[in-house]
Structure formats: C-alpha cells, structure tokens
Coordinates of all heavy atoms in Angstrom, one line a residue:
M46 N -5.5 65.0 106.9 CA -5.3 64.2 105.7 C -6.4 63.2 105.5 O -6.9 62.7 106.5 CB -4.0 63.4 106.0 CG -2.9 63.8 105.1 SD -1.5 62.7 105.3 CE -0.4 63.7 104.3
M47 N -6.6 62.9 104.3 CA -7.7 62.0 104.0 C -7.1 60.7 103.4 O -6.3 60.8 102.4 CB -8.6 62.7 103.0 CG -9.7 61.8 102.6 SD -10.7 62.7 101.3 CE -12.3 62.7 102.0
F48 N -7.4 59.6 103.9 CA -7.0 58.3 103.4 C -8.2 57.6 102.7 O -9.3 57.7 103.1 CB -6.5 57.4 104.5 CG -5.2 57.9 105.1 CD1 -5.2 58.6 106.3 CD2 -4.0 57.8 104.5 CE1 -4.1 59.1 106.9 CE2 -2.8 58.3 105.0 CZ -2.9 58.9 106.2
W49 N -7.8 57.1 101.5 CA -8.9 56.4 100.7 C -9.5 55.3 101.4 O -10.7 55.1 101.5 CB -8.4 56.0 99.4 CG -8.1 57.2 98.5 CD1 -6.9 57.9 98.4 CD2 -9.0 57.9 97.7 NE1 -7.0 58.9 97.5 CE2 -8.3 59.0 97.1 CE3 -10.4 57.7 97.4 CZ2 -9.0 59.8 96.2 CZ3 -11.0 58.6 96.6 CH2 -10.3 59.7 96.0
Y50 N -8.7 54.4 101.9 CA -9.2 53.1 102.5 C -8.8 53.0 104.0 O -8.8 51.9 104.5 CB -8.7 51.9 101.7 CG -9.3 51.9 100.3 CD1 -8.5 52.2 99.3 CD2 -10.6 51.6 100.1 CE1 -9.0 52.1 98.0 CE2 -11.1 51.6 98.9 CZ -10.3 51.9 97.8 OH -10.8 51.8 96.5
D51 N -8.5 54.0 104.7 CA -8.1 54.0 106.1 C -6.8 53.2 106.2 O -6.2 52.7 105.3 CB -9.2 53.3 106.9 CG -9.1 53.7 108.4 OD1 -8.3 54.5 108.7 OD2 -9.8 53.1 109.2
H52 N -6.2 53.1 107.4 CA -5.0 52.4 107.6 C -5.1 51.0 107.9 O -4.1 50.2 107.8 CB -4.3 53.0 108.9 CG -3.5 54.3 108.5 ND1 -4.1 55.5 108.7 CD2 -2.3 54.5 108.1 CE1 -3.2 56.4 108.3 NE2 -2.1 55.8 108.0
N53 N -6.2 50.5 108.2 CA -6.4 49.1 108.6 C -6.4 48.2 107.3 O -7.1 48.5 106.4 CB -7.7 48.9 109.3 CG -7.7 49.6 110.7 OD1 -6.6 49.8 111.2 ND2 -8.8 50.0 111.2
V54 N -5.6 47.2 107.4 CA -5.6 46.2 106.3 C -6.2 45.0 106.8 O -5.9 44.5 107.9 CB -4.1 45.9 105.9 CG1 -4.1 44.9 104.8 CG2 -3.4 47.2 105.4
S55 N -7.2 44.5 106.0 CA -7.9 43.3 106.5 C -7.0 42.0 106.5 O -5.9 42.1 106.0 CB -9.1 43.0 105.6 OG -8.7 42.7 104.3
G56 N -7.5 40.9 106.9 CA -6.7 39.7 106.9 C -6.4 39.3 105.5 O -5.3 38.7 105.2
W57 N -7.2 39.5 104.5 CA -6.9 39.2 103.1 C -5.8 40.0 102.6 O -5.0 39.6 101.8 CB -8.2 39.3 102.3 CG -9.1 38.1 102.5 CD1 -10.3 38.2 103.1 CD2 -8.9 36.8 102.2 NE1 -10.9 37.0 103.2 CE2 -10.1 36.1 102.6 CE3 -7.9 36.1 101.5 CZ2 -10.2 34.7 102.4 CZ3 -8.1 34.7 101.4 CH2 -9.2 34.0 101.8
G58 N -5.8 41.3 103.0 CA -4.7 42.2 102.6 C -3.4 41.7 103.0 O -2.4 41.7 102.3
W59 N -3.3 41.3 104.3 CA -2.0 40.7 104.8 C -1.6 39.5 104.1 O -0.5 39.2 103.7 CB -2.1 40.5 106.3 CG -2.0 41.7 107.1 CD1 -3.0 42.3 107.8 CD2 -0.9 42.5 107.3 NE1 -2.6 43.4 108.4 CE2 -1.3 43.6 108.2 CE3 0.4 42.5 106.9 CZ2 -0.4 44.6 108.5 CZ3 1.3 43.5 107.3 CH2 0.9 44.5 108.1
F60 N -2.6 38.6 103.8 CA -2.3 37.4 103.1 C -1.8 37.7 101.7 O -0.8 37.1 101.2 CB -3.6 36.5 103.0 CG -3.4 35.3 102.1 CD1 -2.7 34.2 102.6 CD2 -4.0 35.3 100.9 CE1 -2.6 33.1 101.8 CE2 -3.8 34.2 100.1 CZ -3.1 33.1 100.5
A61 N -2.5 38.6 101.0 CA -2.1 39.0 99.6 C -0.7 39.6 99.6 O 0.1 39.3 98.8 CB -3.1 39.9 99.0
M62 N -0.4 40.4 100.6 CA 1.0 41.0 100.7 C 2.0 39.9 101.0 O 3.1 39.9 100.3 CB 1.0 42.0 101.8 CG 1.0 43.4 101.3 SD 1.3 44.7 102.5 CE 0.7 44.1 104.0
S63 N 1.7 39.0 101.9 CA 2.7 38.0 102.2 C 2.9 37.0 101.0 O 4.0 36.7 100.6 CB 2.2 37.2 103.4 OG 2.0 38.0 104.5
A64 N 1.8 36.6 100.4 CA 1.9 35.7 99.2 C 2.6 36.4 98.1 O 3.5 35.8 97.4 CB 0.5 35.3 98.8
G65 N 2.4 37.7 97.9 CA 3.1 38.5 96.8 C 4.5 38.6 97.1 O 5.4 38.4 96.2
M66 N 4.9 38.8 98.3 CA 6.4 38.9 98.7 C 7.0 37.5 98.5 O 8.2 37.5 97.9 CB 6.5 39.3 100.1 CG 8.0 39.6 100.5 SD 8.8 40.8 99.5 CE 7.9 42.3 99.9
I67 N 6.4 36.4 98.9 CA 7.0 35.1 98.7 C 7.1 34.8 97.2 O 8.1 34.3 96.7 CB 6.1 34.0 99.4 CG1 6.2 34.2 100.9 CG2 6.5 32.6 98.9 CD1 5.3 33.4 101.7
L68 N 6.1 35.1 96.4 CA 6.1 34.9 95.0 C 7.2 35.8 94.3 O 8.0 35.3 93.5 CB 4.8 35.3 94.4 CG 4.6 35.0 92.9 CD1 4.8 33.5 92.5 CD2 3.3 35.5 92.4
F69 N 7.4 37.0 94.7 CA 8.4 37.9 94.2 C 9.8 37.3 94.4 O 10.6 37.2 93.5 CB 8.3 39.3 94.9 CG 9.5 40.1 94.6 CD1 9.5 40.8 93.4 CD2 10.5 40.3 95.5 CE1 10.6 41.6 93.1 CE2 11.5 41.2 95.2 CZ 11.6 41.8 94.0
W70 N 10.1 36.8 95.7 CA 11.4 36.3 95.9 C 11.6 34.9 95.3 O 12.7 34.6 94.8 CB 11.6 36.2 97.4 CG 12.0 37.5 98.0 CD1 11.2 38.2 98.8 CD2 13.1 38.3 97.8 NE1 11.8 39.4 99.1 CE2 13.0 39.5 98.5 CE3 14.3 38.1 97.0 CZ2 13.9 40.5 98.4 CZ3 15.2 39.1 97.0 CH2 15.0 40.3 97.7
A71 N 10.5 34.1 95.1 CA 10.6 32.9 94.4 C 11.0 33.1 92.9 O 11.9 32.4 92.4 CB 9.3 32.1 94.5
V72 N 10.4 34.1 92.3 CA 10.7 34.4 90.9 C 12.2 34.9 90.8 O 12.9 34.5 89.9 CB 9.7 35.5 90.3 CG1 10.2 36.1 89.0 CG2 8.4 34.9 90.2
I73 N 12.6 35.8 91.7 CA 14.0 36.3 91.7 C 15.0 35.2 91.9 O 16.0 35.1 91.1 CB 14.2 37.4 92.8 CG1 13.3 38.6 92.5 CG2 15.6 37.8 92.9 CD1 13.6 39.4 91.3
I74 N 14.8 34.3 92.8 CA 15.7 33.2 93.0 C 15.7 32.2 91.8 O 16.8 31.7 91.4 CB 15.3 32.4 94.4 CG1 15.6 33.4 95.5 CG2 16.1 31.1 94.5 CD1 15.1 32.9 96.9
T75 N 14.5 32.0 91.3 CA 14.5 31.1 90.1 C 15.2 31.7 88.9 O 16.0 30.9 88.2 CB 13.0 30.8 89.7 OG1 12.3 30.3 90.8 CG2 12.9 29.9 88.5
I76 N 15.1 32.9 88.7 CA 15.8 33.6 87.6 C 17.3 33.5 87.9 O 18.1 33.2 87.0 CB 15.4 35.1 87.4 CG1 13.9 35.1 86.8 CG2 16.3 35.8 86.5 CD1 13.3 36.4 86.8
A77 N 17.7 33.7 89.1 CA 19.2 33.7 89.4 C 19.7 32.3 89.2 O 20.8 32.1 88.7 CB 19.4 34.2 90.9
V78 N 19.0 31.3 89.7 CA 19.5 29.9 89.5 C 19.6 29.5 88.0 O 20.6 28.9 87.6 CB 18.5 28.9 90.3 CG1 18.8 27.5 89.9 CG2 18.7 29.1 91.8
L79 N 18.6 29.9 87.2 CA 18.6 29.5 85.8 C 19.7 30.3 85.1 O 20.4 29.7 84.2 CB 17.2 29.9 85.2 CG 16.1 29.0 85.6 CD1 14.8 29.5 85.0 CD2 16.3 27.5 85.2
L80 N 19.9 31.5 85.5 CA 21.0 32.3 84.9 C 22.4 31.7 85.2 O 23.2 31.6 84.3 CB 20.9 33.7 85.4 CG 21.9 34.7 84.8 CD1 21.7 34.9 83.3 CD2 21.8 36.1 85.4
L81 N 22.6 31.3 86.5 CA 23.8 30.7 86.8 C 24.1 29.3 86.1 O 25.2 29.0 85.7 CB 23.9 30.5 88.4 CG 24.1 31.7 89.2 CD1 24.0 31.4 90.7 CD2 25.5 32.3 88.9
R82 N 23.0 28.6 86.0 CA 23.1 27.3 85.3 C 23.5 27.5 83.8 O 24.3 26.8 83.2 CB 21.8 26.5 85.3 CG 21.6 25.8 86.6 CD 20.4 24.9 86.5 NE 20.1 24.3 87.8 CZ 19.1 23.5 88.0 NH1 18.2 23.3 87.1 NH2 18.9 23.0 89.2
A83 N 22.9 28.5 83.2 CA 23.1 28.8 81.8 C 24.6 29.3 81.6 O 25.2 28.9 80.6 CB 22.1 29.8 81.3
L84 N 25.1 30.1 82.5 CA 26.4 30.6 82.4 C 27.5 29.6 82.7 O 28.6 29.7 82.1 CB 26.6 31.8 83.3 CG 25.8 33.1 82.9 CD1 26.0 34.1 84.0 CD2 26.2 33.6 81.6
N85 N 27.2 28.6 83.5 CA 28.2 27.5 83.9 C 28.2 26.3 83.0 O 29.0 25.5 83.1 CB 27.9 27.1 85.3 CG 28.4 28.2 86.3 OD1 29.2 29.0 86.0 ND2 27.8 28.2 87.5
Q86 N 27.2 26.2 82.0 CA 27.2 25.1 81.1 C 28.3 25.2 80.1 O 28.5 26.3 79.6 CB 25.8 25.1 80.4 CG 24.8 24.3 81.1 CD 23.5 24.2 80.2 OE1 23.5 24.8 79.1 NE2 22.5 23.5 80.7
P87 N 28.9 24.1 79.7 CA 29.8 24.2 78.6 C 29.0 24.4 77.3 O 27.9 23.9 77.1 CB 30.5 22.8 78.6 CG 29.5 21.9 79.3 CD 28.8 22.8 80.3
H88 N 29.6 25.2 76.5 CA 28.9 25.6 75.2 C 29.2 24.5 74.2 O 30.3 24.3 73.7 CB 29.3 26.9 74.7 CG 29.0 28.0 75.7 ND1 27.7 28.4 75.9 CD2 29.8 28.7 76.5 CE1 27.8 29.4 76.8 NE2 29.0 29.6 77.2
E89 N 28.2 23.8 73.8 CA 28.3 22.6 72.9 C 28.6 23.1 71.5 O 29.2 22.5 70.7 CB 27.1 21.8 72.9 CG 26.9 21.1 74.2 CD 25.6 20.3 74.3 OE1 24.9 20.1 73.2 OE2 25.2 19.8 75.4
H90 N 28.1 24.3 71.1 CA 28.3 24.8 69.8 C 29.7 25.3 69.5 O 30.0 25.5 68.3 CB 27.3 25.9 69.5 CG 27.5 27.1 70.3 ND1 27.0 27.2 71.6 CD2 28.1 28.3 70.1 CE1 27.3 28.4 72.1 NE2 28.0 29.1 71.2
T91 N 30.5 25.4 70.5 CA 31.9 25.8 70.2 C 32.8 24.7 69.8 O 33.9 24.9 69.3 CB 32.5 26.5 71.5 OG1 32.4 25.6 72.6 CG2 31.7 27.8 71.8
H92 N 32.3 23.5 70.0 CA 33.2 22.3 69.6 C 33.0 22.0 68.1 O 31.9 21.9 67.6 CB 32.8 21.1 70.4 CG 32.9 21.2 71.9 ND1 34.1 21.3 72.5 CD2 32.0 21.3 72.9 CE1 34.0 21.5 73.8 NE2 32.7 21.5 74.1
T93 N 34.1 21.9 67.5 CA 34.0 21.6 66.0 C 34.1 20.1 65.9 O 34.8 19.4 66.6 CB 35.2 22.3 65.3 OG1 36.4 21.9 65.8 CG2 35.1 23.8 65.3
A94 N 33.4 19.6 64.9 CA 33.5 18.2 64.6 C 34.8 17.8 64.0 O 35.4 18.6 63.3 CB 32.4 17.8 63.6
A95 N 35.3 16.6 64.4 CA 36.6 16.2 63.9 C 36.5 15.9 62.4 O 35.5 15.4 62.0 CB 37.0 14.9 64.7
A96 N 37.6 16.1 61.7 CA 37.6 15.8 60.3 C 37.6 14.3 60.1 O 38.2 13.6 60.9 CB 38.8 16.4 59.7
P97 N 36.9 13.8 59.1 CA 36.8 12.4 58.9 C 38.2 11.9 58.5 O 38.9 12.5 57.8 CB 35.8 12.2 57.8 CG 35.7 13.5 57.1 CD 36.1 14.6 58.1
S98 N 38.5 10.7 58.9 CA 39.8 10.1 58.6 C 39.7 9.5 57.2 O 38.6 9.5 56.5 CB 40.1 8.9 59.6 OG 39.2 7.9 59.4
A99 N 40.8 9.2 56.6 CA 40.9 8.6 55.3 C 40.1 7.3 55.2 O 39.4 7.1 54.2 CB 42.4 8.4 54.9
E100 N 40.1 6.6 56.2 CA 39.3 5.3 56.2 C 37.8 5.6 56.2 O 37.1 4.9 55.5 CB 39.7 4.4 57.4 CG 41.1 3.9 57.4 CD 41.4 3.0 58.5 OE1 40.5 2.6 59.3 OE2 42.6 2.7 58.7
D101 N 37.4 6.6 56.9 CA 36.0 7.0 56.9 C 35.6 7.5 55.5 O 34.5 7.1 55.1 CB 35.8 8.2 57.9 CG 35.9 7.7 59.4 OD1 35.8 6.5 59.7 OD2 36.2 8.6 60.2
I102 N 36.4 8.2 54.9 CA 36.1 8.7 53.5 C 36.0 7.5 52.6 O 35.0 7.4 51.8 CB 37.1 9.7 53.1 CG1 37.1 11.0 53.9 CG2 36.9 10.0 51.6 CD1 38.2 12.0 53.7
L103 N 36.9 6.6 52.7 CA 36.8 5.4 51.9 C 35.5 4.6 52.1 O 34.9 4.1 51.2 CB 38.0 4.4 52.1 CG 39.3 4.7 51.4 CD1 40.4 3.8 51.8 CD2 39.0 4.6 49.9
R104 N 35.2 4.4 53.4 CA 33.9 3.7 53.7 C 32.7 4.4 53.1 O 31.8 3.8 52.6 CB 33.7 3.6 55.2 CG 34.5 2.5 55.9 CD 34.1 2.3 57.3 NE 35.3 2.0 58.1 CZ 36.0 2.8 58.8 NH1 35.6 4.0 59.0 NH2 37.1 2.4 59.4
E105 N 32.7 5.8 53.2 CA 31.6 6.5 52.6 C 31.5 6.4 51.1 O 30.4 6.2 50.5 CB 31.7 8.0 53.0 CG 31.5 8.3 54.5 CD 31.8 9.7 54.8 OE1 32.1 10.6 53.9 OE2 31.7 10.0 56.0
R106 N 32.7 6.4 50.5 CA 32.7 6.2 49.0 C 32.2 4.8 48.6 O 31.5 4.7 47.6 CB 34.1 6.5 48.5 CG 34.5 8.0 48.6 CD 35.8 8.2 47.9 NE 35.7 8.0 46.5 CZ 36.7 7.9 45.7 NH1 38.0 8.0 46.1 NH2 36.5 7.7 44.4
L107 N 32.6 3.8 49.4 CA 32.1 2.5 49.1 C 30.6 2.4 49.3 O 29.9 1.8 48.5 CB 32.8 1.5 50.0 CG 32.4 0.0 49.9 CD1 32.8 -0.5 48.5 CD2 33.1 -0.8 51.0
A108 N 30.1 3.0 50.4 CA 28.7 3.0 50.7 C 27.9 3.7 49.6 O 26.8 3.3 49.3 CB 28.4 3.6 52.0
R109 N 28.4 4.8 49.0 CA 27.7 5.5 48.0 C 27.9 4.8 46.6 O 27.2 5.2 45.7 CB 28.3 6.9 47.9 CG 27.9 7.8 49.0 CD 28.2 9.3 48.7 NE 29.6 9.5 48.5 CZ 30.4 10.1 49.4 NH1 29.9 10.4 50.6 NH2 31.7 10.3 49.2
G110 N 28.7 3.9 46.5 CA 28.9 3.1 45.2 C 29.9 3.8 44.3 O 30.0 3.5 43.1
E111 N 30.7 4.7 44.8 CA 31.7 5.4 44.0 C 32.9 4.5 43.7 O 33.5 4.6 42.6 CB 32.2 6.7 44.7 CG 31.1 7.7 44.8 CD 31.6 9.0 45.6 OE1 32.8 9.0 45.9 OE2 30.8 9.8 45.9
I112 N 33.2 3.6 44.6 CA 34.2 2.6 44.3 C 33.7 1.2 44.7 O 32.7 1.1 45.4 CB 35.5 2.9 45.2 CG1 35.2 2.9 46.7 CG2 36.1 4.2 44.8 CD1 36.4 3.1 47.6
D113 N 34.3 0.2 44.0 CA 33.8 -1.1 44.3 C 34.7 -1.7 45.5 O 35.6 -1.1 46.0 CB 33.9 -2.0 43.1 CG 35.3 -2.2 42.5 OD1 36.2 -1.6 43.1 OD2 35.5 -2.9 41.5
E114 N 34.3 -2.9 45.9 CA 35.0 -3.5 47.1 C 36.5 -3.8 46.8 O 37.3 -3.6 47.7 CB 34.3 -4.8 47.4 CG 34.7 -5.4 48.8 CD 33.9 -6.5 49.2 OE1 32.7 -6.7 48.7 OE2 34.3 -7.3 50.1
D115 N 36.8 -4.2 45.6 CA 38.3 -4.4 45.3 C 39.1 -3.1 45.4 O 40.2 -3.1 46.0 CB 38.4 -5.0 43.9 CG 37.9 -6.4 43.8 OD1 37.9 -7.1 44.9 OD2 37.4 -6.8 42.8
E116 N 38.5 -2.0 44.9 CA 39.2 -0.7 45.0 C 39.3 -0.3 46.4 O 40.3 0.3 46.8 CB 38.4 0.3 44.1 CG 39.0 1.7 44.2 CD 40.2 1.8 43.3 OE1 40.5 0.9 42.6 OE2 40.8 2.9 43.4
Y117 N 38.2 -0.5 47.2 CA 38.2 -0.2 48.6 C 39.3 -0.9 49.3 O 40.1 -0.3 50.1 CB 36.9 -0.5 49.2 CG 36.8 -0.4 50.7 CD1 36.8 0.8 51.4 CD2 36.9 -1.5 51.6 CE1 36.8 1.0 52.8 CE2 36.9 -1.4 52.9 CZ 36.8 -0.2 53.5 OH 36.8 -0.1 54.9
R118 N 39.5 -2.2 49.1 CA 40.5 -3.0 49.8 C 41.9 -2.6 49.4 O 42.8 -2.5 50.2 CB 40.3 -4.5 49.6 CG 39.0 -5.0 50.2 CD 38.9 -6.5 50.0 NE 37.6 -7.0 50.4 CZ 37.2 -7.3 51.6 NH1 38.1 -7.2 52.6 NH2 36.0 -7.8 51.9
R119 N 42.1 -2.3 48.1 CA 43.4 -1.9 47.6 C 43.8 -0.5 48.2 O 44.9 -0.4 48.7 CB 43.3 -1.8 46.1 CG 44.7 -1.5 45.5 CD 44.6 -1.4 43.9 NE 43.8 -0.4 43.4 CZ 44.1 0.9 43.4 NH1 45.3 1.3 43.8 NH2 43.3 1.8 42.9
R120 N 42.9 0.4 48.3 CA 43.2 1.7 48.9 C 43.4 1.6 50.4 O 44.2 2.3 50.9 CB 42.1 2.7 48.5 CG 42.1 3.1 47.0 CD 41.1 4.1 46.7 NE 41.1 4.4 45.3 CZ 41.0 5.6 44.8 NH1 41.0 6.6 45.6 NH2 41.0 5.8 43.5
L121 N 42.6 0.8 51.0 CA 42.7 0.6 52.5 C 44.1 0.0 52.8 O 44.8 0.4 53.8 CB 41.6 -0.2 53.0 CG 41.5 -0.4 54.5 CD1 41.2 1.0 55.1 CD2 40.3 -1.3 54.9
A122 N 44.5 -1.0 52.0 CA 45.8 -1.6 52.2 C 46.9 -0.5 52.0 O 47.9 -0.5 52.8 CB 46.0 -2.8 51.3
A123 N 46.8 0.3 51.0 CA 47.8 1.4 50.8 C 47.8 2.3 51.9 O 48.9 2.8 52.3 CB 47.4 2.1 49.5
L124 N 46.7 2.6 52.6 CA 46.7 3.5 53.7 C 47.4 2.9 54.9 O 48.1 3.6 55.6 CB 45.2 3.8 54.2 CG 44.5 4.8 53.3 CD1 43.0 4.9 53.8 CD2 45.2 6.2 53.4
H125 N 47.3 1.6 55.1 CA 47.9 0.9 56.2 C 49.4 0.7 56.0 O 50.1 0.7 57.0 CB 47.2 -0.4 56.5 CG 45.9 -0.2 57.1 ND1 45.7 0.0 58.5 CD2 44.6 -0.2 56.6 CE1 44.4 0.1 58.7 NE2 43.7 0.0 57.6
V126 N 49.8 0.6 54.8 CA 51.2 0.4 54.5 C 52.0 1.8 54.7 O 53.1 1.8 55.2 CB 51.5 0.0 53.0 CG1 52.9 0.0 52.7 CG2 50.9 -1.4 52.9
G127 N 51.4 2.9 54.4 CA 52.0 4.1 54.5 C 52.5 4.7 53.2 O 52.2 4.1 52.2
P128 N 53.1 5.9 53.2 CA 53.5 6.5 52.0 C 54.6 5.7 51.3 O 55.5 5.1 51.9 CB 54.0 7.9 52.4 CG 54.4 7.7 53.9 CD 53.5 6.7 54.4
V129 N 54.6 5.7 50.0 CA 55.5 4.9 49.2 C 56.8 5.8 49.1 O 56.7 7.0 48.7 CB 55.0 4.6 47.8 CG1 56.0 3.9 47.0 CG2 53.7 3.8 48.0
A130 N 57.9 5.3 49.4 CA 59.2 6.0 49.3 C 59.6 6.1 47.8 O 59.6 5.1 47.1 CB 60.3 5.4 50.1
K131 N 60.0 7.3 47.4 CA 60.4 7.5 46.0 C 62.0 7.3 46.0 O 62.7 7.7 46.8 CB 60.1 8.9 45.5 CG 58.6 9.1 45.4 CD 58.3 10.4 44.8 CE 56.8 10.5 44.6 NZ 56.4 11.7 43.9
P132 N 62.4 6.6 44.9 CA 63.9 6.3 44.8 C 64.7 7.6 44.5 O 64.3 8.5 44.0 CB 64.0 5.3 43.7 CG 62.7 5.2 43.0 CD 61.7 5.9 43.9

C-alpha cells in the first residue's frame, strides 16, 4: 500500500487536530446553549396590549384638542359616577 504522507503526524498536525476538536466542541456547545436559551425565553410578541381605558381615551382626546377642558371634566365626572339609571 502506498501512503501519500506516511503515517507520522508532525507536532503541528497534532496541534491542529487538537485545536480543531476543541473548536468543534465549543461550537456545538455554544449552539446548544443558544438554542436552549431561545426556547426557554417567554415570547414577548404573544402578549397583547391592554385596551385603553375610557379615561385614557378622554385624555388622548383632550391632548389632541378634540374636546376642551370643560367637556373633559364633565365626561370624566360622568365616568366616575357610573351609568345613569333609567326610570
């Protein structure tokens, strides 16, 4: 049988093999850790934002200038009193 480079591996060959094996396992472990972290994180995009309250909507309308301050106070007071009972 004919071997291209003989069986003897020089010192650099052993070093390259050792460094390559360490690098290979470091990459495998890094990928595993990152994958586990990604799978165990709570998904932020699944949470829906809470609907704005009636008071928030009133504040926004006041800020945009759709209602004046008197209208804002009147409607806010009506919200705090509650629904008006019909006779």
Side-chain angles (χ1 to χ4, degrees):
M46 246 188 190
M47 179 184 235
F48 292 102
W49 289 93
Y50 294 108
D51 200 8
H52 278 93
N53 295 333
V54 178
S55 68
W57 286 109
W59 284 108
F60 174 75
M62 255 190 329
S63 300
M66 186 58 67
I67 291 170
L68 183 63
F69 171 78
W70 284 110
V72 168
I73 296 296
I74 292 170
T75 301
I76 289 172
V78 167
L79 291 176
L80 185 62
L81 286 173
R82 282 186 183 176
L84 292 175
N85 288 333
Q86 271 186 357
H88 299 288
E89 295 175 9
H90 63 279
T91 58
H92 299 292
T93 57
S98 68
E100 291 181 13
D101 293 335
I102 294 171
L103 274 177
R104 277 190 219 100
E105 289 173 6
R106 290 186 65 194
L107 177 65
R109 286 193 299 257
E111 294 177 6
I112 58 175
D113 62 0
E114 191 172 341
D115 292 332
E116 179 75 10
Y117 170 77
R118 291 182 192 279
R119 187 177 62 77
R120 290 181 182 227
L121 189 62
L124 283 175
H125 288 276
V126 170
V129 178
K131 294 186 177 185

